[in-house]
């Protein structure tokens, strides 16, 4: 097991020690905050705010000027444009303006990863699909979709997304820990058939294999089931978890379903899941 | 700016104290493996002041635990701190550290409420014979 992990959220990603976990998350793709903590204390906070590029550049200049007046050490971040590091000994803050977003990354001074985190920070706000990666969850979601629900219970983490504010969730992504205990030697298909209500409720659904993952598809019906459903499952042996993605979209959007499932399986395969 | 960046809050200090505490099994508790594979912890209940006044003594109660709970129970020998237990549990079962922390700490709280374990607090490791126990 490596000692670094990638956390991806709402159009950005960064590499942090594997012991850091998400403890606070709120907001959406326009503005929000996430905080990462280890067993002992808060280690990192990322805040973001969207706006017009010119207005954000002006805000950044004003903030940096204010910090200089407060006699904090302000320096440009090497290798990045419009990025400033402010350090007052006890804590550090990085202010970054990228495209239509202003980021504030801060953490306690002297943290071991202080120098590495800014270098690993990647902004993907202009991508069509945003990657969401946390607690074993790994999903690509259309950039405009809204995060509806976060459930990070021990053993079962889940994020729900919907295309618009008032629509039902179109995509759920999650992970179940302790895969070896859940599967007890069975294949994903056998286990899902026995344990997952979605699979048990739809005996007419069909299974497909794609790479090392399995997909369960239910076609849209005329009366009751008006949306086609797809459930992709993947066993990540390295982290001993089952990663899953469930889409529930109208049949006419089957191309999007296929794209999301394919992106999911490619991501879990590339992130070390086997 | 979040509070945790400016200084450690009281809840954070409590959390640090909790992680440094050392869980110790109640020596009166018996662990029994039943023929059907179930694991049982059997021990006396705690007697509070009112119960003592009305002359009611402690009664034996039993609790069923699973193999994960048994792993935690077996490691409450007074040698490992809660933090070491959490890290050990996470490593043993390949679960995320935060998941391990929530699972182990809530299970230890249940055990403590049922008088099955006590916590040694205020020192790194138990040395000597006297231990200050907090229930």
């Amino acid at each position: 097991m490596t000692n670094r992990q990638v956390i991806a959220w709402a159009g950005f990603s960064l590499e942090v020690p594997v012991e850091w976990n998400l403890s606070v998350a709120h907001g959406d793709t326009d503005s929000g905050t996430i905080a990462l903590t280890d067993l002992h204390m808060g280690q990192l906070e990322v805040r973001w705010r969207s706006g017009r590029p010119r207005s954000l550049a002006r805000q950044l200049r004003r903030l940096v000027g204010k910090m200089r007046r407060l006699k904090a050490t302000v320096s440009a971040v090497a290798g990045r444009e419009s990025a400033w590091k402010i350090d007052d000994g006890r804590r550090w803050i990085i202010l970054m303006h990228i495209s239509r977003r202003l980021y504030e990354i801060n953490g306690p001074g002297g943290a071991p990863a202080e120098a590495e985190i800014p270098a690993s920070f990647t902004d993907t706000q202009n991508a069509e699909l945003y990657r969401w990666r946390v607690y074993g969850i790994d999903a690509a979601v259309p950039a405009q979709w809204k995060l509806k629900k976060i459930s990070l219970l021990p053993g079962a983490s889940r994020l729900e997304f919907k295309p618009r504010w008032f629509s039902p969730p179109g995509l759920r992504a999650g992970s179940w820990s302790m895969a070896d205990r859940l599967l007890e030697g069975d294949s994903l298909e056998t286990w899902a058939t026995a344990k997952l209500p979605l699979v048990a409720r739809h005996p007419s659904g069909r299974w497909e294999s794609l790479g090392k993952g399995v997909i369960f598809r239910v076609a849209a019906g005329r009366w009751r089931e008006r949306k086609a459903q797809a459930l992709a499952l993947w066993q990540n042996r390295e982290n001993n978890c089952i990663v899953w993605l469930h889409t529930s979209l109208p049949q006419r959007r089957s191309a999007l379903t296929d794209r999301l499932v394919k992106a999911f399986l490619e991501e879990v395969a590339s992130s070390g899941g086997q | 700016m979040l509070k945790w960046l400016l200084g450690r809050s009281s809840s954070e200090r409590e959390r640090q104290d909790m992680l440094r505490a050392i869980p110790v099994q109640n020596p009166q508790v018996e662990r029994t493996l039943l023929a059907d594979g179930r694991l049982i912890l059997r021990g006396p209940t705690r007697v509070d002041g009112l119960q003592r006044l009305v002359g009611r003594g402690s009664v034996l109660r039993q609790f069923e635990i699973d193999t994960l709970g048994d792993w935690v129970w077996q490691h409450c020998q007074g040698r490992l701190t809660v933090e070491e237990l959490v890290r050990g549990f996470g490593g043993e079962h390949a679960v995320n550290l935060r998941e391990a922390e929530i699972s182990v700490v809530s299970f230890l709280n249940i055990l403590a409420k049922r008088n099955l374990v006590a916590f040694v607090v205020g020192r790194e490791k138990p040395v000597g014979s006297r231990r200050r126990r907090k229930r």
Side-chain angles (χ1 to χ4, degrees):
Chain A
M1 201 179 275
T2 58
N3 59 354
R4 311 284 292 176
Q5 62 171 337
V6 173
I7 302 259
W9 194 267
F12 63 87
S13 68
L14 68 172
E15 203 174 284
V16 296
V18 77
E19 294 198 347
W20 294 13
N21 284 301
L22 186 77
S23 56
V24 173
H26 56 80
D28 53 24
T29 49
D30 291 334
S31 66
T33 306
I34 61 164
L36 307 176
T37 54
D38 65 3
L39 264 184
H40 297 277
M41 60 186 289
Q43 291 288 358
L44 191 79
E45 186 193 30
V46 182
R47 292 172 171 205
W48 63 97
R49 186 193 313 165
S50 300
R52 288 185 185 164
R54 281 178 65 182
S55 157
L56 294 177
R58 206 165 43 238
Q59 283 179 41
L60 178 65
R61 277 198 303 276
R62 207 166 44 229
L63 279 168
V64 170
K66 201 172 172 182
M67 291 295 173
R68 280 200 175 114
R69 283 196 294 280
L70 288 170
K71 296 195 173 124
T73 312
V74 180
S75 55
V77 177
R80 284 193 184 272
E81 281 180 31
S82 303
W84 299 89
K85 185 175 180 185
I86 297 138
D87 202 334
D88 73 351
R90 281 191 314 169
R91 61 181 189 272
W92 56 269
I93 304 171
I94 287 176
L95 295 169
M96 258 191 303
H97 170 216
I98 305 174
S99 189
R100 287 170 286 110
R101 270 191 191 173
L102 183 63
Y103 288 103
E104 177 196 316
I105 308 170
N106 57 53
E114 182 183 335
E116 298 157 26
I117 286 159
S120 71
F121 186 89
T122 312
D123 173 84
T124 53
Q125 62 181 291
N126 295 323
E128 273 182 63
L129 297 179
Y130 281 177
R131 191 176 184 186
W132 297 75
R133 189 170 179 205
V134 64
Y135 284 104
I137 299 169
D138 201 338
V141 180
Q144 312 79 23
W145 285 28
K146 310 289 180 195
L147 175 63
K148 187 195 173 198
K149 193 175 171 186
I150 308 170
S151 169
L152 303 172
L153 299 172
S157 307
R158 187 172 64 166
L159 301 177
E160 287 185 12
F161 299 87
K162 52 186 180 176
R164 286 175 297 278
W165 279 119
F166 299 106
S167 57
L171 185 147
R172 294 179 179 91
S175 71
W176 292 302
S177 305
M178 294 195 188
D180 54 347
R181 293 176 66 89
L182 291 175
L183 295 173
E184 293 175 326
D186 285 343
S187 67
L188 278 172
E189 201 176 315
T190 315
W191 171 77
T193 308
K195 302 283 184 187
L196 299 184
L198 172 77
V199 181
R201 262 202 325 264
H202 297 96
S204 59
R206 65 180 203 280
W207 285 97
E208 291 170 20
S209 287
L210 197 65
K212 288 177 182 170
V214 288
I215 306 164
F216 180 74
R217 287 183 193 274
V218 182
R222 195 164 174 190
W223 302 109
R224 288 182 66 198
E225 301 281 350
R226 297 180 64 183
K227 286 182 176 171
Q229 301 192 63
L231 172 71
L233 296 163
W234 181 282
Q235 186 183 0
N236 184 331
R237 290 182 202 277
E238 192 186 344
N239 295 332
N240 192 23
C241 65
I242 298 169
V243 193
W244 58 271
L245 179 101
H246 173 227
T247 61
S248 175
L249 292 167
Q251 192 78 47
R252 64 189 153 80
R253 302 193 75 183
S254 61
L256 177 63
T257 302
D258 289 345
R259 193 174 164 209
L260 295 176
V261 169
K262 193 167 168 247
F264 164 74
L265 292 173
E266 280 171 2
E267 274 177 9
V268 287
S270 68
S271 62
Q274 301 188 11
Chain B
M1 189 65 61
L2 286 181
K3 209 178 188 179
W4 54 263
L5 284 173
L6 298 171
R8 295 189 174 191
S9 60
S10 59
S11 65
E12 201 165 88
R13 278 195 297 275
E14 279 169 23
R15 185 182 156 100
Q16 299 289 334
D17 289 344
M18 180 271 292
L19 287 171
R20 274 198 296 265
I22 298 170
V24 186
Q25 292 176 357
N26 180 344
Q28 292 174 297
V29 175
E30 280 175 27
R31 172 183 173 273
T32 318
L33 178 62
L34 301 181
D36 58 3
R38 287 183 304 148
L39 281 161
I40 300 289
L41 296 180
R42 192 178 285 124
T45 54
R46 191 180 304 159
V47 184
D48 63 22
L50 187 65
Q51 286 170 326
R52 204 171 286 127
L53 268 177
V54 296
R56 186 186 284 177
S58 71
V59 287
L60 271 182
R61 288 191 71 183
Q62 62 178 37
F63 308 98
E64 189 178 330
I65 54 171
D66 64 1
T67 50
L68 297 174
D70 189 46
W71 187 95
V72 178
W73 168 254
Q74 297 279 20
H75 286 82
C76 293
Q77 304 283 356
R79 286 193 298 271
L80 300 177
T81 60
V82 173
E83 181 177 347
E84 287 164 340
L85 264 180
V86 167
R87 288 182 189 278
F89 186 87
E92 179 83 14
H93 302 289
V95 292
N96 184 294
L97 206 58
R98 182 133 178 104
E99 290 178 326
E101 183 199 352
I102 296 171
S103 313
V104 169
V105 171
S106 12
F107 184 65
L108 285 174
N109 276 334
I110 293 169
L111 292 183
K113 273 184 197 159
R114 292 175 176 183
N115 203 24
L116 301 171
V117 295
F119 291 98
V120 179
V121 291
R123 67 174 83 147
E124 289 297 316
K125 294 273 178 182
V127 280
S129 56
R130 288 191 68 189
R131 288 172 185 168
R132 189 156 62 93
R133 288 183 181 185
K134 183 184 173 189
R135 291 191 171 174

